Amino acid sequence: MEKENIAVGLDIGTTKIVAMIGKKNEYGKLEILGVGKSKSLGVARGVVNNITQTIQSIQQAIQEAENNSGYKIKDVVVGIAGQHIRSIQHTDYISRNNPEEVIGGNDIQLLIDQVNKLAMLPGEEIIHVLPQEFKIDGQSEIKEPIGMYGGRLESSFHVVVGQASSIRNVGRCIQSSGIELSGLTLEPLASADAVLSQEEKEAGVALIDIGGGTTDLAIFKDGIIRHTAVIPFGGNVISDDIKEGCSIIEKQAELLKVKFGSAWPGENRDNEIVSIPGLRGREPKEISLKNLSKIIHARVVEIVDQVFTEVKAYGHEDPRKKLIAGIVLTGGGAQLKHIKQLVEYITGMDTRIGYPNEHLAGNSDEEISSPLYATAVGLVMKSIENKTQSAVRLDAVEQPKAPTYRPTVVQTPVQEVYENVEEEIDHNAHEKQNSTVNRIQKNFFDRYVDKIKDFLDNAE
């Protein structure tokens, strides 16, 4: 009987932490087995600022996902975001010793290794190297160079850079939560996998993921990632503005934004008023919905302007770089009323809201199909690609408790027993390590994950 490939994604956001367990069904669609959600307490703008609180939030989300699914989580694919993430474009080349031999995966790996040695600012490390078009002996616009002849192999790269300490802190939180880190993925790339079609990526599209603490941007053209950016503003700053502007507490501001908020002030009439209960016996507070919309509008315009500046920096106005499929909005902020119309008005580009339901099985919970879970769904899809067995059934975990080989110590040479014990205990770890080695050319993040694991082991 074939082993189930159970995948787990962990979205560590500023407002919420989501653990999602899933597998592919017989139709190739993603079947969600369990979801765990907890309030994110130790993360600000995508960066961990309190290790203890983050560990507690992760454990809470993991526990809920395990209870809902009946599976025990062993390892997770985690999304990386935060204001420390930046991207650069870089071109590099290698000269091949024997142009008479066809180009293979080793040549491309050699080129990627060369890019990984680029000098970065202090405290920064390269976490993702994405090859774009290749050039062989001056012949350009080659998407797949493997199998071709040539002496000089050149490629343009999209290089994602981040603060090493921030990423190691995420690794520390996951390890301290009692689970392993099987992969890292840039969050906008995970969201893109969940909500964009291949046709949109070919035509040219900008994905805007409006989260709680950050707004992530990923631009695709000709099926290739062209630009990524993280803007350090999200839904939380809108709530903060409402809190200050209306003199109410944070919880009430968040509820007002979700239930009555609109990004378009002209929608509300002057006499539309909502009453907020007063604190500790104080008089209720009356808030005009028109004023509420004006506060939200001002901040959303600022966020969209910053994103559009990044789109223009990519070169959207160049006819060859035009984003024909326009903009796709996702994340919790995409649920704000009339945000689609406002983005279209500011940018002049076609806009739609991105839902992850295209990849989900037909019987999926309606809540999971929300833009709020786009990143988590994308991370589960990445975990499926890795082909790791990230979770096992709880009943299968509880049965084998005492090892059966201990009584044989007397009859067997010490070295042999040691090897047997080592093999039994570390079976899952070796299995995972081997699969990582097999995937090394497919997923450029894997070496960075190993680097983080080594760092955390040495830190012990």
Side-chain angles (χ1 to χ4, degrees):
M1 187 180 156
E2 198 181 331
K3 217 177 186 183
E4 276 186 309
N5 178 212
I6 308 298
V8 184
L10 185 68
D11 175 15
I12 302 176
T14 306
T15 50
K16 67 177 189 331
I17 290 176
V18 177
M20 192 177 275
I21 305 174
K23 66 173 183 178
K24 268 197 175 174
N25 65 11
E26 63 269 33
Y27 307 109
K29 294 290 185 183
L30 187 61
E31 187 181 323
I32 303 301
L33 303 170
V35 179
K37 191 168 81 169
S38 67
K39 190 171 169 57
S40 183
L41 297 171
V43 182
R45 290 186 174 171
V47 178
V48 174
N49 64 2
N50 186 318
I51 294 275
T52 311
Q53 285 185 330
T54 306
I55 291 167
Q56 287 170 354
S57 297
I58 290 172
Q59 286 173 332
Q60 198 179 325
I62 293 284
Q63 185 71 52
E64 192 182 318
E66 287 178 342
N67 293 344
N68 289 344
S69 64
Y71 282 83
K72 174 75 179 166
I73 293 173
K74 296 191 302 178
D75 59 63
V76 293
V77 168
V78 179
I80 289 292
Q83 57 191 19
H84 62 95
I85 298 288
R86 67 185 182 94
S87 64
I88 52 174
Q89 292 296 122
H90 176 72
T91 303
D92 218 324
Y93 74 93
I94 55 165
S95 296
R96 301 179 68 237
N97 296 329
N98 189 357
E100 302 303 313
E101 277 184 14
V102 294
I103 293 166
N106 290 341
D107 295 306
I108 293 168
Q109 194 60 52
L110 198 66
L111 190 51
I112 289 163
D113 290 343
Q114 199 164 290
V115 177
N116 272 305
K117 290 173 187 166
L118 280 175
M120 290 292 122
L121 295 172
E124 280 191 336
E125 280 187 26
I126 293 172
I127 53 173
H128 212 346
V129 175
L130 292 156
Q132 300 187 319
E133 284 109 342
F134 290 88
K135 195 186 273 190
I136 300 171
D137 293 346
Q139 183 189 341
S140 58
E141 294 183 15
I142 296 168
K143 287 190 180 178
E144 182 49 85
I146 291 175
M148 298 178 78
Y149 291 98
R152 178 185 162 114
L153 177 64
E154 190 178 333
S155 177
S156 54
F157 290 92
H158 184 73
V159 183
V160 180
V161 181
Q163 286 290 339
S165 57
S166 297
I167 297 156
R168 284 169 184 162
N169 285 339
V170 171
R172 162 64 66 212
C173 291
I174 287 157
Q175 198 179 53
S176 301
S177 302
I179 48 176
E180 288 292 323
L181 180 66
S182 68
L184 284 164
T185 297
L186 196 64
E187 287 201 352
L189 296 184
S191 303
D193 280 351
V195 303
L196 297 181
S197 68
Q198 191 55 39
E199 287 82 5
E200 284 176 316
K201 289 180 182 178
E202 289 287 344
V205 66
L207 177 85
I208 302 172
D209 185 344
I210 307 169
T214 58
T215 297
D216 303 334
L217 170 71
I219 295 175
F220 293 84
K221 179 73 175 172
D222 300 326
I224 299 166
I225 181 87
R226 300 295 183 179
H227 187 74
T228 51
V230 178
I231 288 112
F233 297 110
N236 281 6
V237 286
I238 300 171
S239 299
D240 286 344
D241 286 355
I242 297 167
K243 184 179 79 172
E244 298 297 328
C246 301
S247 301
I248 54 176
I249 61 170
E250 195 175 333
K251 195 176 178 182
Q252 292 172 335
E254 185 65 30
L255 277 169
L256 262 182
K257 180 183 78 176
V258 173
K259 284 198 167 187
F260 303 102
S262 167
W264 201 265
E267 176 70 15
N268 302 109
R269 291 190 294 275
D270 292 326
N271 61 351
E272 285 184 298
I273 286 169
V274 65
S275 183
I276 300 282
L279 294 174
R280 283 282 193 171
R282 292 177 179 84
E283 290 292 310
K285 192 180 283 279
E286 291 189 338
I287 289 160
S288 158
L289 290 188
K290 196 171 190 74
N291 286 342
L292 177 68
S293 292
K294 280 179 180 174
I295 293 167
I296 294 170
H297 174 80
R299 183 60 84 174
V300 174
V301 166
E302 187 188 347
I303 293 169
V304 175
D305 277 342
Q306 286 206 34
V307 173
F308 196 43
T309 301
E310 290 286 345
V311 174
K312 285 191 277 196
Y314 147 76
H316 160 64
E317 284 156 359
D318 181 340
R320 288 170 304 169
K321 293 183 173 183
K322 192 170 175 62
L323 304 177
I324 295 162
I327 290 171
V328 176
L329 295 170
T330 194
Q335 297 178 112
L336 188 63
K337 204 174 169 189
H338 299 125
I339 192 164
K340 172 185 174 293
Q341 289 85 338
L342 180 64
V343 171
E344 282 182 337
Y345 177 75
I346 293 171
T347 63
M349 296 165 74
D350 287 340
T351 305
R352 75 170 177 89
I353 307 295
Y355 298 91
N357 50 5
E358 186 188 324
H359 301 282
L360 295 173
N363 59 350
S364 296
D365 190 337
E366 197 179 321
E367 191 189 5
I368 297 163
S369 304
S370 154
L372 199 69
Y373 291 100
T375 304
V377 170
L379 291 171
V380 175
M381 288 166 69
K382 286 284 181 191
S383 183
I384 285 172
E385 275 179 32
N386 292 350
K387 294 192 169 80
T388 55
Q389 180 68 14
S390 297
V392 291
R393 288 189 181 277
L394 281 168
D395 48 12
V397 173
E398 287 161 6
Q399 284 163 7
K401 284 191 177 175
T404 54
Y405 42 74
R406 277 192 180 161
T408 63
V409 171
V410 181
Q411 295 134 6
T412 321
V414 175
Q415 184 62 31
E416 197 175 321
V417 172
Y418 174 79
E419 284 168 4
N420 288 342
V421 174
E422 195 74 354
E423 190 180 352
E424 181 70 18
I425 290 171
D426 281 329
H427 176 70
N428 293 332
H430 282 304
E431 193 174 71
K432 189 162 57 191
Q433 201 174 3
N434 289 338
S435 66
T436 303
V437 171
N438 295 338
R439 306 192 311 269
I440 196 154
Q441 288 183 352
K442 185 179 170 188
N443 187 345
F444 307 125
F445 259 129
D446 288 335
R447 278 173 305 157
Y448 199 77
V449 172
D450 292 338
K451 229 195 275 184
I452 290 173
K453 284 179 182 173
D454 290 343
F455 174 83
L456 292 173
D457 290 342
N458 295 332
E460 294 288 347

